[in-house]
């Protein structure tokens, strides 16, 4: 069966950890905040109290995006055209 | 964990609501949140034509999907920014979504239509890339909305975006920006109305909405945004949220309910001193050309110079 394969993003890479493993211990071990990621196990979203079985394929998908900075709230007039 | 609504197994927890949701109830929850915020803030009137700012990322595609499902009349506008190794992908996600939904996607490409890319524009105009990107997008969305006869532009700014901007504005005590940090910016004077229907959903929720709806989106982060200040503010807020779920939402909604009126006096939006840009006609506080036309002029001059001297 092997361990648990974990796909990480930004940059895309793969690590393997021993299973079974809880979602939150896995995030802690890899240094992720749970507010900042989704955990997808064998193609399905799982909650933080789930346990990941050995042999599973996991994706830790970051959800934080930077986007175009809009000083203030992004009003067309928040960065006046003369600025 | 069980779904708060139907008691079936949950697939996602939303800690600030102290709740888990199954797939169906979560999608309904997201659509209800958006519908509520649209009504509360009178964002879209019956019959309004909506132009959705679409980047190919999770927020804009979730927003477009929800607006379509709620029955609003929407078209999308995608702006290709010419960012190597990134823009081709993001455009593909936007186009595939539109094709699957049978929705209309307008397409503007900075290199093709304006002769520059964000990186060159930023360097030539002495801005950080995110600033050149924001300026370009605002101008092009405004123009497309007015030219196309749209009543409103909808953007995918979510709760995390708004909380991060608010934190930045508070840290710098920028009262003028705080006074204008609203989910609806009125139209008029050459500007379309702008609305942010996702301000009640965190970005973890918009990402989960896409995963659970089968919407394929660009997960990779824009290479130009690495290290930008807003990401730092989000990181700080998430560290607080980890220990105290609900803080981000309380921070932003508390501002709208109680803080905004305290800083309303600082709202000097400058509309009374606007003039039409001598080149494109867009409203500007400048007596001559607007900031966008100046950026285009500097960026295209830079491109021409590079071609002349043969540098890449």
């Amino acid at each position: 069966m092997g361990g648990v394969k974990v796909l990480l993003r930004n940059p895309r890479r793969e690590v393997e950890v021993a299973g079974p493993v809880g979602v939150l211990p896995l995030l802690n071990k890899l240094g992720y905040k749970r507010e900042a990621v989704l955990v997808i196990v064998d193609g399905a979203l799982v909650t933080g109290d789930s346990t990941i079985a050995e042999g599973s394929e996991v994706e830790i998908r970051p959800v934080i995006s930077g986007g175009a900075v809009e000083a203030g709230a992004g009003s067309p007039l928040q960065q006046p055209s003369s600025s | 964990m069980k779904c708060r609504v139907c008691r079936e197994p949950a697939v996602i927890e939303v800690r600030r609501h102290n709740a888990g949701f199954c797939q169906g109830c979560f999608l309904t929850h997201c659509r209800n949140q958006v519908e509520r915020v649209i009504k509360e803030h009178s964002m879209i009137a019956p019959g309004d034509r909506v132009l959705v700012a679409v980047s190919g990322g999770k927020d804009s595609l979730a927003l477009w999907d929800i607006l379509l499902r709620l029955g609003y009349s929407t078209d999308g506008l995608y702006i290709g920014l010419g960012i190597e190794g990134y823009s081709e992908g993001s455009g593909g996600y936007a186009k595939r979504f539109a094709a699957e939904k049978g929705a209309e996607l307008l397409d503007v490409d900075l290199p093709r239509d304006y002769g520059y890319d964000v990186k060159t524009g930023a360097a030539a105009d002495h801005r950080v890339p995110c600033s050149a990107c924001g300026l370009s997008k605002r101008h092009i969305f405004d123009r497309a909305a007015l030219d196309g006869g749209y009543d409103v532009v909808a953007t995918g700014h979510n709760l995390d975006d708004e909380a991060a901007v608010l934190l930045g504005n508070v840290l710098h005590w920028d009262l003028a920006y705080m006074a204008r940090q609203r989910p609806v910016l009125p139209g008029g004077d050459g500007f379309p109305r702008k609305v942010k229907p996702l301000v009640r959903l965190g970005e973890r929720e918009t990402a989960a909405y896409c995963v659970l709806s089968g919407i394929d989106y660009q997960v990779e982060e824009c290479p130009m945004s690495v290290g930008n200040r807003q990401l730092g503010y989000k990181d700080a807020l998430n560290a607080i949220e980890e220990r105290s779920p609900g803080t981000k939402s309380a921070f932003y909604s508390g501002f709208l309910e109680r803080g905004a009126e305290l800083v309303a006096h600082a709202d000097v939006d400058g509309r009374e001193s606007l003039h039409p840009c001598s080149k494109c006609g867009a409203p500007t506080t400048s007596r001559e050309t607007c900031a966008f036309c100046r950026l285009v002029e500097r960026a295209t001059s830079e491109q021409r110079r590079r071609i002349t001297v043969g540098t890449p």
Side-chain angles (χ1 to χ4, degrees), chain B residues 151-197:
Chain B
D151 301 287
V152 54
V153 171
T155 59
H157 294 92
N158 58 47
L159 173 59
D160 290 76
D161 296 326
E162 293 304 297
V165 169
L166 180 59
L167 178 61
N169 289 340
V170 170
L171 289 175
H172 295 95
W173 289 117
D174 204 324
L175 299 184
Y177 283 156
M178 287 163 73
R180 273 169 259 148
Q181 187 169 355
R182 297 187 295 254
V184 179
L185 297 163
D189 300 314
F191 294 105
R193 186 183 345 136
K194 289 189 175 172
V195 301
K196 301 172 185 176

Side-chain angles (χ1 to χ4, degrees), chain B:
Chain B
M1 182 178 280
K2 302 270 189 207
C3 173
R4 181 171 79 175
V5 183
C6 71
R7 311 308 296 163
E8 289 293 310
V11 296
I12 179 160
E13 71 271 61
V14 182
R15 292 178 71 223
R16 73 170 188 280
H17 294 317
N18 194 24
F21 294 95
C22 71
Q23 178 175 357
C25 293
F26 179 74
L27 297 177
T28 304
H29 159 79
C30 291
R31 291 168 194 151
N32 288 346
Q33 292 286 320
V34 170
E35 195 168 21
R36 234 174 90 188
V37 87
I38 288 172
K39 286 193 174 138
E40 262 179 29
H41 295 278
S42 305
M43 289 183 169
I44 306 172
D48 273 356
R49 290 182 68 226
V50 183
L51 184 63
V52 184
V54 179
S55 69
K58 64 189 190 313
D59 301 310
S60 58
L61 293 182
L63 172 63
W64 200 7
D65 185 81
I66 293 172
L67 293 178
L68 284 167
R69 287 173 187 275
L70 291 175
Y72 291 105
S73 166
T74 62
D75 292 335
L77 171 57
Y78 171 79
I79 300 175
L81 303 165
I83 299 170
E84 209 178 314
Y86 182 76
S87 294
E88 308 84 352
S90 61
Y93 289 104
K95 286 168 193 164
R96 282 191 293 278
F97 177 89
E100 278 167 24
K101 300 285 174 186
E104 181 78 25
L105 181 69
L106 313 178
D107 174 23
V108 172
D109 188 73
L110 289 186
R112 181 192 66 209
D113 300 326
Y114 289 93
Y116 74 98
D117 58 68
V118 158
K119 194 175 171 186
T120 310
D125 210 28
H126 306 293
R127 294 169 176 268
V128 294
C130 295
S131 166
C133 178
L135 170 62
S136 305
K137 283 179 170 175
R138 282 192 298 276
H139 179 91
I140 293 166
F141 280 120
D142 287 355
R143 168 135 226 160
L146 295 170
D147 289 353
Y150 293 92
D151 301 287
V152 54
V153 171
T155 59
H157 294 92
N158 58 47
L159 173 59
D160 290 76
D161 296 326
E162 293 304 297
V165 169
L166 180 59
L167 178 61
N169 289 340
V170 170
L171 289 175
H172 295 95
W173 289 117
D174 204 324
L175 299 184
Y177 283 156
M178 287 163 73
R180 273 169 259 148
Q181 187 169 355
R182 297 187 295 254
V184 179
L185 297 163
D189 300 314
F191 294 105
R193 186 183 345 136
K194 289 189 175 172
V195 301
K196 301 172 185 176
L198 296 185
V199 292
R200 273 231 180 86
L201 295 176
E203 54 192 337
R204 193 166 175 276
E205 289 152 87
T206 61
Y209 181 90
C210 288
V211 171
L212 293 172
S213 301
I215 297 171
D216 203 12
Y217 66 91
Q218 187 161 48
V219 175
E220 285 70 32
E221 186 52 76
C222 173
M224 296 280 145
S225 73
V226 174
N228 92 15
R229 213 160 25 174
Q230 198 186 8
L231 286 174
Y233 294 147
K234 285 185 174 180
D235 203 36
L237 286 167
N238 277 336
I240 299 170
E241 188 79 11
E242 193 89 7
R243 296 175 69 129
S244 308
T247 303
K248 270 186 292 198
S249 174
F251 179 50
Y252 178 64
S253 61
F255 167 72
L256 290 185
E257 287 160 20
R258 301 184 298 280
E261 65 188 63
L262 301 177
V263 295
H265 65 278
D267 185 2
V268 184
D269 69 8
R271 286 199 178 187
E272 66 286 350
S273 56
L274 291 175
H275 314 275
C277 166
S278 59
K279 200 161 183 183
C280 72
T284 174
T285 50
S286 162
R287 287 279 171 190
E288 295 170 359
T289 56
C290 69
F292 176 74
C293 284
R294 293 200 302 275
L295 184 152
V296 174
E297 174 56 33
R298 285 169 187 159
T300 50
S301 299
E302 175 62 17
Q303 298 273 46
R304 284 194 296 273
R305 190 193 65 79
R306 283 186 189 179
I307 292 165
T308 308
V309 298
T311 53

